[in-house]
Amino acid sequence: MALAAKLQLRQSQSLVMTPQLMQSIRLLQFTHVELERFIDDEIERNPLLDRAEPQDDAVSDQAQKIDAAPETATGGDWFEKETAWSAEAISEKLDTSLENLFPDDPGTSERLGPDLTAQWKSASGNGSASSSDGFDVGDMAAAAITLREHVGEQVALAFADPAARLIASELADGLDEAGYMRADMAEIAARLGTDRAAVTNALAVCQTFEPAGIFARDLAECLSLQLAVRDRLDPAMKALIANLELLARRDFQTLKRICGVDEEDLLDMLAEIRALDPRPGMAFSGGASDAIVADVEVRAANDGSWVIELNAETLPRVLVDHIYFAQVSPHAKNQTEKDFLAECLQNANWLTRSLDQRAKTILKVASEIVRQQDAFLVHGVRHLKPLNLRTVADAIGMHESTVSRVTANKYMLTPRGVFELRYFFTASIASSGGGDAHSSEAVRDRIKQLIDEEKPADVLSDDAIVDMLRESGVDIARRTVAKYREGMNIPSSVQRRREKRALASAGR
């Protein structure tokens, strides 16, 4: 057969992941703090983007955009222009699509409240010098002192010799956030060109600093330092500190024999141990933790249904400055400047559209979760239903991975408290009677209640808990009960029995 060259026309689909598509996927799983940081960066790079100023209107511009979304909002947007493959190819080769990422729902008309965030500035007077310098009342609050600063002040007062002060400073650098000294003594001595004794002497002085217990090298030494300050480090207490592993196992009989004390004295010693701080440095751990801000709010309506709203504080309001674009675009000197302005306008329109669709997607997922877990909101954790991502995804017509991204690091405010969206997705435990399955979270709560209600003379073993749960219709294995119990930091029946007997003896 002779070889010959010929032309062939073949149609194929290729997978192209554009930067905007990748960023839109990331937008879904951003927390509101990460989203605010991302928008700040975009505003800094894009001169056509700006934040919307707070308004006094009852309805924000963001809500008006959602309400006014046309039926053909998705036909011909940037996604279809930027991607080079069909919707069928996305569903087959990619775990998401535009319909999954940002499903347009023109029928949804949520009234979002105005952006109420505002800065409290000082009342120093308009145009005053202090005002022009950016003075703020909040600046008057003293910054929280760190552990390193607190120790540094004591080092300066405790060591007159410069060499010893240098050693103490090196030891302070080896403190972790809990106040434990993690540096190697021999390494410090070698680095400073001194002997091990000098480092040991400096450490002994540092271990007298406040708060008591810092510069300890392990838990036993930390507790010993605190007991020494209280003048309670007697031989019996030293023996107890040296056998903390027996205390962790609640082996009180062995502890009484080692310490040479009776039950009453042992209980007093245990009370003193509980009053100590195993991590004394945590009081200087830095700034306060960020408060959890709910992304979705759920409240009961008058007709018995649930009102589900997005939290306006977590919805950034971004505007595209079309007026500025119209002013500067005619003055572009070359094609490079025209391309830059066009790209800025495209990116700005993409961001505002993506934020609107992100809000709709979160609201749709949250609404389905509330519908599925209605019994939990009404009756409590015992009525939490087994739920997985696929169930929600199938119900709202999204991909499972999209639901996973939406529920990551987002919270819902309900009449029963604030819960992460992932909290409502629990494993299923079969029913022993062939009825509806039980949620693993509800089973955990039932196990905890059974243990809390047990009597000292009748401590429940894991096998006994299994029998009681099966009588109530929960088909569960013993190893599962043990796993749930250990996950809630509940000791075994043997340890609980020892502790209850010790407490009962102390009560007599």
Side-chain angles (χ1 to χ4, degrees), residues 318-336:
V318 180
L319 297 178
V320 182
D321 197 342
H322 292 280
I323 298 177
Y324 180 70
F325 176 78
Q327 291 175 346
V328 300
S329 57
H331 302 285
K333 298 180 181 179
N334 50 48
Q335 188 61 37
T336 302

Side-chain angles (χ1 to χ4, degrees), residues 129-450:
S130 60
S131 178
S132 62
D133 292 339
F135 176 77
D136 195 308
V137 173
D139 296 338
M140 298 177 62
I145 188 171
T146 64
L147 177 62
R148 184 68 181 84
E149 294 170 343
H150 181 69
V151 171
E153 294 175 356
Q154 299 181 72
V155 168
L157 296 175
F159 295 92
D161 182 29
R165 191 183 304 122
L166 178 60
I167 297 175
S169 299
E170 287 291 326
L171 292 173
D173 288 338
L175 290 177
D176 63 9
E177 62 178 6
Y180 287 84
M181 210 284 292
R182 302 301 186 187
D184 184 79
M185 306 276 287
E187 181 183 350
I188 292 178
R191 186 167 63 250
L192 298 180
T194 185
D195 55 5
R196 179 71 177 267
V199 179
T200 303
N201 293 335
L203 178 62
V205 176
C206 291
Q207 288 180 340
T208 63
F209 290 172
E210 291 292 336
I214 60 173
F215 285 95
R217 287 161 287 187
D218 53 36
L219 177 60
E221 188 174 27
C222 178
L223 299 179
S224 298
L225 292 174
Q226 297 179 58
L227 290 169
V229 171
R230 303 184 182 193
D231 196 22
R232 282 293 297 123
L233 195 59
D234 52 28
M237 190 65 79
K238 288 182 179 179
L240 177 60
I241 295 298
N243 294 274
L244 291 178
E245 68 280 358
L246 296 177
L247 179 59
R249 296 201 303 265
R250 292 176 170 81
D251 191 352
F252 299 136
Q253 296 298 328
T254 305
L255 285 175
K256 285 191 297 182
R257 184 175 66 256
I258 294 176
C259 299
V261 296
D262 56 17
E263 287 188 1
E264 183 177 357
D265 290 337
L266 180 61
L267 289 175
D268 291 340
M269 295 166 63
L270 295 180
E272 291 185 52
I273 294 294
R274 292 191 184 98
L276 303 178
D277 187 359
R279 296 183 293 177
M282 294 302 293
F284 304 89
S285 59
S289 302
D290 294 333
I292 293 178
V293 179
D295 300 88
V296 182
E297 298 179 359
V298 179
R299 65 177 186 274
N302 295 330
D303 59 356
S305 61
W306 299 102
V307 177
I308 307 165
E309 295 179 344
L310 295 175
N311 185 0
E313 295 183 1
T314 63
L315 294 176
R317 304 176 66 243
V318 180
L319 297 178
V320 182
D321 197 342
H322 292 280
I323 298 177
Y324 180 70
F325 176 78
Q327 291 175 346
V328 300
S329 57
H331 302 285
K333 298 180 181 179
N334 50 48
Q335 188 61 37
T336 302
E337 294 181 358
K338 292 180 181 179
D339 293 342
F340 171 74
L341 291 174
E343 182 181 0
C344 288
L345 181 62
Q346 180 185 11
N347 291 338
N349 289 330
W350 164 81
L351 180 59
T352 55
R353 186 183 301 112
S354 297
L355 291 176
D356 285 343
Q357 299 286 11
R358 175 184 181 272
K360 292 180 183 179
T361 306
I362 295 175
L363 187 62
K364 180 176 289 188
V365 172
S367 299
E368 180 60 23
I369 291 176
V370 171
R371 190 185 72 82
Q372 295 278 355
Q373 301 291 2
D374 174 76
F376 163 78
L377 297 175
V378 176
H379 303 291
V381 67
R382 294 290 177 82
H383 297 268
L384 192 66
K385 293 170 53 180
L387 187 64
N388 54 41
L389 296 173
R390 180 174 294 277
T391 302
V392 174
D394 293 342
I396 61 180
M398 292 184 183
H399 197 277
E400 185 177 347
S401 63
T402 304
V403 178
S404 177
R405 294 184 180 102
V406 170
T407 56
N409 302 315
K410 296 180 182 62
Y411 295 85
M412 179 187 293
L413 174 62
T414 72
R416 295 193 173 274
V418 179
F419 299 92
E420 188 178 7
L421 293 184
R422 291 284 179 88
Y423 172 83
F424 298 98
F425 297 90
T426 60
S428 174
I429 297 179
S431 174
S432 58
D436 294 336
H438 301 272
S439 166
S440 60
E441 195 67 32
V443 174
R444 285 190 183 93
D445 184 74
R446 176 62 176 158
I447 293 173
K448 184 177 185 300
Q449 182 187 27
L450 290 174

Side-chain angles (χ1 to χ4, degrees), residues 250 440 443-452 454 459-466 469 476-497:
R250 292 176 170 81
S440 60
V443 174
R444 285 190 183 93
D445 184 74
R446 176 62 176 158
I447 293 173
K448 184 177 185 300
Q449 182 187 27
L450 290 174
I451 294 176
D452 291 341
E454 65 185 6
V459 176
L460 299 175
S461 64
D462 291 344
D463 290 323
I465 294 176
V466 168
L469 290 177
I476 190 171
R478 180 187 179 280
R479 62 179 179 275
T480 306
V481 171
K483 182 180 70 173
Y484 288 172
R485 174 179 53 76
E486 292 171 357
M488 294 184 289
N489 294 322
I490 298 176
S492 65
S493 58
V494 176
Q495 295 173 334
R496 298 199 308 273
R497 187 176 294 107

